Amino acid sequence: MGIELSNISKSYDNQNWTLKDVSVQIRSGEFFTIVGPSGCGKSTLLRMIAGLISISNGTLKIDGRDVTNLQPQERALTMVFQNYALFPFLDVKANVSFGLKARKMQSAQINERVANALELVGLSELKDRKPRELSGGQRQRVALARAIASDTKVCLMDEPLSNLDAQLRSKMRSEIRELQQKLGITLIYVTHDQVEAMTMADRIMVLHAHTVQQIGTPSEIYQHPANAFVAQFFGTPRMNLLSVHYASKNQRHLKFDSYIDYLLPRDIEDGDYFVGIRPGELEIHTADKANAVIKNIEYLGTQSIIHAVLDNDMEIRITTSKNNTFCLNDHVQIRATNTYFVFDSTGKAIFFNKGDVQNGYTDHKQEPANAL
Amino acid sequence: MDTQITNKNPQMRYKQRKEEKPLMATGLSYNKSKALRDRLYALIFLGPSLLVLIVFVFFPMFRTLYLSFFLTNNLGKPTVFIGFANYISLLSSSAYLHSLQATFIYVIAVSCLTLTLGLLLAQTASQKVRGISFFRTIFSGTMGVSVSVAAIFWLFIFNPSVGMLDQLANLLHLPAINWLTQPGWAMTAVVISTVWMNLGFTFLIFFGAIQSVPSTLYEAAQIEGVSKIYQFFHITLPMISPTLFFVSIITLIESFKSFGLIDLMTAGGPDNATNLLVYRIYQDAFLSGNYGLASTESVILALIIAFFTFIQFKVLEKRVNY
Ligand SMILES: Nc1ncnc2c1ncn2[C@@H]1O[C@H](COP(=O)(O)OP(=O)(O)OP(=O)(O)O)[C@@H](O)[C@H]1O
Ligand SMILES: [Mg+2]
């Protein structure tokens, strides 16, 4: 069941666009993640797909059928909510079978489906418990079981793991991913957590400032971000973004100081640019000739994040291996490597890793027509 | 007349004390002077309210019980101890039994109508429709209406010559009804007025309860294709059942105690058709000066209310999902 969004827009107040022209073709059986900062309209988009709120503009097709103006129940999908939306007065079994019972399905069939769904999420033992007698993770699984029992081929999830602790979250991540594979459902998964998006998704859609920033596989998004926002959103710690002015007399050099100096593959127009450098793509040394001072060190076990200030007053983040002996206020030498990104003054990507955006990577607008 | 409330308070007090005592006794730093000081504090803090309760609640309560076994003079002083004679004469008096019957009819009709209509209004007002906030205000309007105003308002409506209802009947060529002078219709009129008075409060409480049901529950149901009516009975009702339970008890007790509207609209008439228990108590005590008998009636009323509340707790509590 593919899902096709064409120029979907939403305005709550008929004045401002909360979302503008969202277009994407989600393939059948795809794990599709919508990610973006809080308030960017992820839930809004998901609820429009579910039919819980109206679509202001554009068309939505599920499995080739235009469902733009259909009621939620006519769209043949299910949804898992952030707060699980379990009925506190019903036990696990009754929660899972709620919709089936309401639709007057035969009880033998209901029992079979419920048993099946509970088996899949590993909750058969707890089927007689009330939600309040379950842990957060177990409640989440009840919600999953309910989605499974309804036996639709499209499932929507709105930040389903955000109420769980970090350890359980990573466990549930792989469980949900496995279930999705096993059942072959098309899953649209909303999250604000870039790690969740990266680790689970087949493809990611990045939303920001009412519009789609980029659509692509996790590696495309990480290695070829379409703009500075996407580049900074993915990866921890955040990518360094240094602003620089370029004039042709610089002869293709974007130079910050004698150690951080990038040679561009081709000439660019004069103007203001941003250079994006991932914290792992910088070298840090103790050397006689220092160009930076360490202002803060975050020790993370396998690595440390060093916050330093360059002599030209630019702040910069660098990750180093665990075996380092740097201390606060050390004078160090920070050197560029060959991996960097260049964005124009509006944030649009121009170069990445010395590759040219124009003749390298294609962004979502030129997505191949056989995408479905 | 407020005996059913007073019954509860001392019990709760007692329970709390019982729970606290062992805690104090096992405390490691327990010693006599501290215990004494605790007692003193308890007395200082509880004393004033205890005094108020004794003067205005416990004393009248036991005095009523005491008086119900006596003949009294017209100043309310007990004269002759007569045991259960008051009770026996009441329960064998057809007038009293008639009052009892009228009260039951009234209470059941008022409770059922108030709860159903209140729920209906609250559910209606919870719909997301344009202009619904106007109706929310209207529905809760009777909260601010005093009994006397309501009585005058309804007297106008039920008035046989200038009343709206009879003019309406005229228009439709229906026979005119003497609302307040025909026994059956008088009861209907009083029930309608009481329900109307109750609705504001009931609506507001139910509305609040319905609003507090998380909307994702409905959304989850909606996506699964669950009909609106099924949602109401299988999501809304169970979710607000504690409120439903609370309101039903309050409504029942309140309607047993109805006095103002009766007094102002029918004064127990016509032909004692609306002479409910509370109104009879008032008549016997303050119009006939028969305090002993009135006390007996009060005790019986308190017992009836206690009994119904007990039943409600037993039956409904099992179905309430806290
Ligand atoms: N019912 C509504 N009426 C008006 N504005 C709304 C409504 N719901 C959401 N909005 C606005 O639309 C924008 C997007 O909201 P939305 O809930 O979709 O964000 P989100 O991406 O899901 O954020 P989060 O990650 O915090 O859940 C927000 O600015 C919000 O204020
Ligand atoms: Mg959201």
Side-chain angles (χ1 to χ4, degrees):
Chain A
M1 291 262 223
I3 303 171
E4 188 182 342
L5 285 70
S6 332
N7 298 91
I8 300 262
S9 303
K10 177 70 185 179
S11 169
Y12 281 109
D13 53 7
N14 289 324
Q15 287 171 27
N16 305 305
W17 293 112
T18 300
L19 279 175
K20 185 88 181 100
D21 290 332
V22 177
S23 300
V24 63
Q25 298 203 332
I26 298 165
R27 297 162 202 141
S28 185
E30 185 170 11
F31 197 122
F32 191 83
T33 299
I34 301 171
V35 68
S38 184
C40 69
K42 306 180 296 288
S43 300
T44 302
L45 183 58
L46 200 70
R47 294 161 70 79
M48 278 195 288
I49 297 174
L52 294 171
I53 55 176
S54 66
I55 296 173
S56 306
N57 236 329
T59 51
L60 173 69
K61 286 186 181 169
I62 296 179
D63 207 18
R65 190 170 61 117
D66 188 341
V67 299
T68 313
N69 296 311
L70 294 189
Q71 290 294 308
Q73 65 267 27
E74 298 167 314
R75 299 188 180 194
L77 42 75
T78 92
M79 185 157 170
V80 175
F81 294 85
Q82 178 178 352
N83 63 4
Y84 319 136
L86 298 181
F87 303 106
F89 48 89
L90 295 177
D91 61 20
V92 168
K93 211 167 52 226
N95 258 296
V96 176
S97 64
F98 186 84
L100 308 178
K101 270 208 186 107
R103 278 178 290 167
K104 307 237 160 57
M105 189 180 272
Q106 284 183 343
S107 67
Q109 201 181 353
I110 293 180
N111 289 340
E112 191 192 315
R113 277 216 208 164
V114 171
N116 222 337
L118 287 177
E119 183 71 49
L120 269 174
V121 298
L123 273 187
S124 306
E125 314 265 279
L126 306 178
K127 64 181 191 298
D128 295 319
R129 295 246 191 120
K130 291 273 176 65
R132 66 167 173 273
E133 298 160 344
L134 299 175
S135 72
Q138 289 165 338
R139 281 179 216 177
Q140 184 55 66
R141 272 183 233 163
V142 178
L144 287 178
R146 188 164 65 184
I148 295 168
S150 77
D151 197 29
T152 57
K153 285 292 159 213
V154 177
C155 183
L156 314 177
M157 296 191 183
D158 193 351
E159 309 208 15
L161 304 184
S162 56
N163 290 355
L164 306 181
D165 67 52
Q167 215 170 358
L168 191 55
R169 207 151 50 205
S170 82
K171 180 157 175 272
M172 291 300 291
R173 276 210 294 260
S174 50
E175 274 186 30
I176 290 179
R177 174 76 199 175
E178 257 170 49
L179 269 177
Q180 183 262 344
Q181 297 283 318
K182 199 188 282 180
L183 300 169
I185 50 178
T186 311
L187 182 54
I188 305 184
Y189 187 101
V190 161
T191 175
H192 62 263
D193 180 354
Q194 46 107 0
V195 177
E196 221 166 275
M198 294 290 260
T199 51
M200 295 172 89
D202 290 322
R203 275 196 306 158
I204 297 173
M205 174 200 274
V206 188
L207 282 183
H208 175 57
H210 320 297
T211 50
V212 176
Q213 302 291 316
Q214 188 171 3
I215 298 172
T217 64
S219 79
E220 275 170 353
I221 292 218
Y222 189 76
Q223 288 170 19
H224 314 307
N227 57 43
F229 172 80
V230 176
Q232 283 210 302
F233 194 81
F234 291 89
T236 35
R238 259 157 37 107
M239 176 189 272
N240 294 295
L241 209 58
L242 308 180
S243 76
V244 62
H245 183 79
Y246 179 78
S248 44
K249 69 170 172 15
N250 296 11
Q251 295 182 315
R252 292 174 34 204
H253 276 280
L254 286 176
K255 184 167 177 168
F256 296 90
D257 57 32
S258 39
Y259 304 105
I260 304 180
D261 181 2
Y262 295 101
L263 177 64
L264 298 174
R266 67 172 166 84
D267 204 10
I268 50 176
E269 283 172 29
D270 292 9
D272 290 321
Y273 291 90
F274 292 102
V275 175
I277 313 154
R278 295 215 186 268
E281 306 290 355
L282 282 166
E283 289 173 5
I284 178 166
H285 302 279
T286 36
D288 291 344
K289 291 190 174 161
N291 66 342
V293 182
I294 295 179
K295 285 295 173 197
N296 190 17
I297 301 175
E298 291 176 47
Y299 177 71
L300 297 178
T302 55
Q303 61 173 19
S304 297
I305 302 170
I306 294 179
H307 298 255
V309 177
L310 295 176
D311 285 346
N312 57 15
D313 278 345
M314 284 177 166
E315 286 182 29
I316 202 158
R317 291 176 293 274
I318 309 131
T319 52
T320 65
S321 68
K322 60 183 168 190
N323 304 318
N324 70 73
T325 51
F326 299 112
C327 298
L328 232 56
N329 296 324
D330 273 4
H331 288 262
V332 289
Q333 190 183 79
I334 293 174
R335 284 205 299 251
T337 63
N338 260 336
T339 312
Y340 65 97
F341 301 78
V342 178
F343 307 98
D344 69 12
S345 57
T346 63
K348 196 169 163 304
I350 304 177
F351 300 114
F352 45 76
N353 304 353
K354 290 187 292 179
D356 205 324
V357 169
Q358 279 158 8
N359 48 30
Y361 169 69
T362 51
D363 76 4
H364 66 275
K365 286 185 193 91
Q366 294 115 37
E367 201 172 20
N370 61 6
L372 248 186
Chain B
M1 271 171 241
D2 278 359
T3 39
Q4 75 288 337
I5 292 173
T6 61
N7 273 341
K8 258 174 146 181
N9 270 340
Q11 255 180 17
M12 273 164 57
R13 231 161 247 281
Y14 178 60
K15 259 191 200 158
Q16 275 168 6
R17 275 236 204 98
K18 254 198 346 201
E19 280 159 17
E20 276 164 20
K21 249 190 188 161
L23 265 180
M24 261 169 56
T26 54
L28 284 176
S29 61
Y30 174 80
N31 59 46
K32 267 191 178 161
S33 75
K34 185 165 182 293
L36 210 65
R37 210 173 57 220
D38 282 349
R39 292 251 160 107
L40 190 70
Y41 278 139
L43 202 67
I44 290 171
F45 285 114
L46 296 177
S49 65
L50 193 65
L51 196 70
V52 170
L53 280 174
I54 288 174
V55 173
F56 293 105
V57 179
F58 297 145
F59 174 72
M61 210 173 94
F62 288 109
R63 181 76 180 168
T64 306
L65 190 63
Y66 176 75
L67 284 179
S68 71
F69 299 111
F70 283 88
L71 281 180
T72 53
N73 64 16
N74 54 7
L75 291 173
K77 292 272 183 292
T79 50
V80 187
F81 179 78
I82 52 168
F84 283 96
N86 275 335
Y87 290 87
I88 292 164
S89 83
L90 268 181
L91 292 176
S92 54
S93 135
S94 68
Y96 185 76
L97 292 179
H98 175 76
S99 259
L100 206 61
Q101 190 193 7
T103 307
F104 285 142
I105 292 171
Y106 172 83
V107 165
I108 289 167
V110 166
S111 300
C112 291
L113 284 175
T114 303
L115 291 176
T116 326
L117 289 178
L119 205 54
L120 205 71
L121 289 188
Q123 176 66 13
T124 312
S126 305
Q127 304 304 308
K128 290 193 185 77
V129 189
R130 197 174 293 241
I132 197 69
S133 58
F134 171 73
F135 287 96
R136 284 175 197 163
T137 317
I138 296 287
F139 290 164
S140 52
T142 62
M143 283 277 286
V145 177
S146 76
V147 177
S148 48
V149 174
I152 292 168
F153 170 76
W154 283 101
L155 281 174
F156 263 118
I157 290 183
F158 289 128
N159 188 301
S161 48
V162 298
M164 273 168 33
L165 274 179
D166 279 294
Q167 284 177 4
L168 198 70
N170 244 342
L171 256 148
L172 300 172
H173 301 288
L174 293 171
I177 295 167
N178 284 326
W179 282 96
L180 296 172
T181 51
Q182 286 171 310
W185 290 115
M187 177 59 95
T188 314
V190 173
V191 168
I192 291 174
S193 320
T194 316
V195 169
W196 182 81
M197 277 293 286
N198 287 351
L199 268 185
F201 173 76
T202 315
F203 161 77
L204 215 61
I205 301 284
F206 281 155
F207 180 69
I210 291 179
Q211 291 294 300
S212 67
V213 178
S215 60
T216 46
L217 293 187
Y218 297 112
E219 290 171 349
Q222 200 187 351
I223 287 175
E224 297 218 36
V226 178
S227 73
K228 278 272 188 273
I229 294 183
Y230 194 93
Q231 284 179 31
F232 177 74
F233 284 104
H234 291 85
I235 300 176
T236 311
L237 279 192
M239 286 302 283
I240 67 166
S241 57
T243 309
L244 217 55
F245 178 53
F246 164 75
V247 173
S248 71
I249 287 179
I250 296 280
T251 310
L252 189 95
I253 291 173
E254 281 302 313
S255 43
F256 265 115
K257 288 164 43 185
S258 285
F259 175 79
L261 270 178
I262 308 272
D263 186 40
L264 292 164
M265 286 180 70
T266 62
D271 195 18
N272 284 330
T274 59
N275 198 353
L276 307 186
L277 292 181
V278 170
Y279 199 70
R280 180 172 283 275
I281 293 171
Y282 160 76
Q283 284 180 318
D284 282 340
F286 303 111
L287 301 183
S288 322
N290 202 341
Y291 294 98
L293 197 65
S295 296
T296 314
E297 290 174 28
S298 300
V299 172
I300 294 178
L301 179 59
L303 288 177
I304 291 174
I305 293 177
F307 173 74
F308 272 92
T309 312
F310 177 76
I311 295 285
Q312 253 176 324
F313 261 101
K314 281 288 149 215
V315 174
L316 290 179
E317 210 174 30
K318 277 188 205 123
R319 299 165 184 242
V320 169
N321 313 289
Y322 286 106

